[in-house]
Structures are given as structure tokens and as C-alpha cells.
Amino acid sequence: MTDRLEVQMRRGQSLQHKIIKMVPSGTELTVLETNPQTGYSLVRLVTGEEGWILSRYLSEQPIAINRLDEMAKKLDAAVEENKRLKAELATVRTGKQNTDKAAELLQGENARLNTELMAIRQASANAIQIQAERDALRERVVNLERELDTLRREKQALDEDQRQAWFMIGAGVLLGGIFLGVVLPRLSWRKKSSWSSF
């Protein structure tokens, strides 16, 4: 089913008037005059041609197939953005189990988005349905961006914890070395002192 058609542009406001031109749907034009009684409107094309067209064929909104093309482009952009987010996620993966689970969820979401995109492309030009599905995809992309931000923050927290752990280990080793450096010489001195008393 399609909303592509051609509309007759006539010299006058009735079916008896001669057809000047067949105007394809979606053609941009200017309405000069409207006659509610006859149901015709006087229009001018971008080429300068003027004629009468049935008013019911005129619309201020683009035809559904044009809206479908626009929405498909936006959906393509959303899928590309999703792929970019997935690539960024791959760079921040660590051995932590929660991070691996999140990556698997994102891969599943990406596959689901690709499946939905193919279904939308094959669907009819129902503008309301396409708009609702586009909004849902856009919301999913926003959610993916939020998940990516959360994973980045988790990675930063893990890196900070690891740095603190190494700092504490280094401090422990240093204190242990100082302790041994102070205690061992005293122990050996006491042994020598006790031997000399016999």
C-alpha cells in the first residue's frame, strides 16, 4: 500500500475543465485561493504554473512515505550510535563479573534493535506506528548511554580501589622493613651482651 498518486490540476473548478497537468503527490505548491463550495483550490507550482486542484488532496504535512524515509534515517543513526556505544563499552571491560553481564545485555539489546529496524523498514507506511517505534528506539539508545556512563564510573571506582590497595601494600612493606631494621639489630646486640656475661 502506498500514498504515492497523481492529482489532476485543471483549468477550472469542475471535472468538465481541461486537465493542465498531473501533479505527483508530495509536490510542493502554494495555495492561492480556496473555494469551499466547489471543493477546489487554486494553486501555483514552483515552476509558476497555476491551476485548480481538489482541496481534499492538499495537505500541510509531508506524505507518509517521505516521513517514513526520514524516520528510517533517524533509526539508522540510532543503530549507528548504538554500535558506537558498544565499541566504547568494549574498551572499558574488566574481569569483573557485573561488567561482563552488562556487555552481554548490550549485545542482546543491539541485536534486538537491528531486528526491530528491519521490521520497521518492511512495515507499511503507517506514520503513527512508525513514530511510536522510533520514540521507543530513541529511549533505548538513551538508556544505553546511561548504562555506559554507569560502567565507566564503575571502572573508575575499581581502578581507584586497586590503586589504594597497592598503596596500602607498599606502606605495609615499608613499615615491615623499618620494624625489622630497628628490631633485628637490637636482638643481635642483646645476644652478644648475654654471651659476654658468662
Side-chain angles (χ1 to χ4, degrees):
M1 185 175 179
T2 179
D3 61 351
R4 291 270 186 208
L5 52 86
E6 290 187 336
V7 179
Q8 298 170 348
M9 187 168 76
R10 298 179 177 272
R11 291 194 184 277
Q13 304 180 52
S14 71
L15 296 176
Q16 284 72 35
H17 286 86
K18 183 179 178 181
I19 297 173
I20 303 172
K21 186 171 187 174
M22 298 300 291
V23 181
S25 61
T27 301
E28 185 178 350
L29 49 78
T30 303
V31 177
L32 303 175
E33 178 185 339
T34 299
N35 188 338
Q37 295 174 344
T38 62
Y40 277 84
S41 293
L42 179 62
V43 299
R44 178 186 297 136
L45 304 178
V46 292
T47 60
E49 295 175 276
E50 294 183 5
W52 294 88
I53 291 178
L54 282 170
S55 301
R56 65 174 178 267
Y57 293 133
L58 301 176
S59 173
E60 295 181 359
Q61 299 295 326
I63 60 175
I65 195 165
N66 289 349
R67 288 187 300 231
L68 175 62
D69 291 341
E70 180 183 349
M71 289 175 194
K73 288 177 184 177
K74 290 180 180 178
L75 288 174
D76 287 340
V79 171
E80 288 303 317
E81 180 67 9
N82 184 39
K83 289 179 182 178
R84 185 185 67 78
L85 292 173
K86 180 181 171 186
E88 288 183 8
L89 176 63
T91 62
V92 296
R93 282 183 180 164
T94 63
K96 189 179 176 187
Q97 186 176 7
N98 290 341
T99 305
D100 291 338
K101 287 180 180 179
E104 291 174 5
L105 289 174
L106 287 173
Q107 288 174 349
E109 185 69 13
N110 183 47
R112 197 157 48 249
L113 286 172
N114 286 333
T115 301
E116 290 181 11
L117 178 61
M118 292 300 297
I120 289 171
R121 284 176 175 169
Q122 295 171 359
S124 65
N126 185 330
I128 296 175
Q129 178 184 355
I130 291 172
Q131 184 174 0
E133 291 177 358
R134 181 203 64 189
D135 292 343
L137 287 174
R138 186 177 291 166
E139 184 177 347
R140 287 194 181 105
V141 170
V142 170
N143 290 336
L144 288 175
E145 289 176 344
R146 289 176 183 164
E147 287 180 26
L148 181 59
D149 289 339
T150 300
L151 290 174
R152 283 177 175 162
R153 286 194 293 272
E154 286 181 5
K155 181 183 182 299
Q156 289 175 355
L158 287 174
D159 290 345
E160 185 63 27
D161 289 345
Q162 194 173 31
R163 282 195 294 270
Q164 290 179 359
W166 280 111
F167 177 77
M168 294 301 293
I169 291 170
V173 170
L174 179 63
L175 290 175
I178 293 172
F179 176 76
L180 292 176
V182 171
V183 171
L184 285 179
R186 288 187 179 182
L187 288 176
S188 63
W189 178 78
R190 285 182 181 175
K191 287 181 181 179
K192 288 180 182 178
S193 297
S194 61
W195 293 337
S196 62
S197 63
F198 285 108

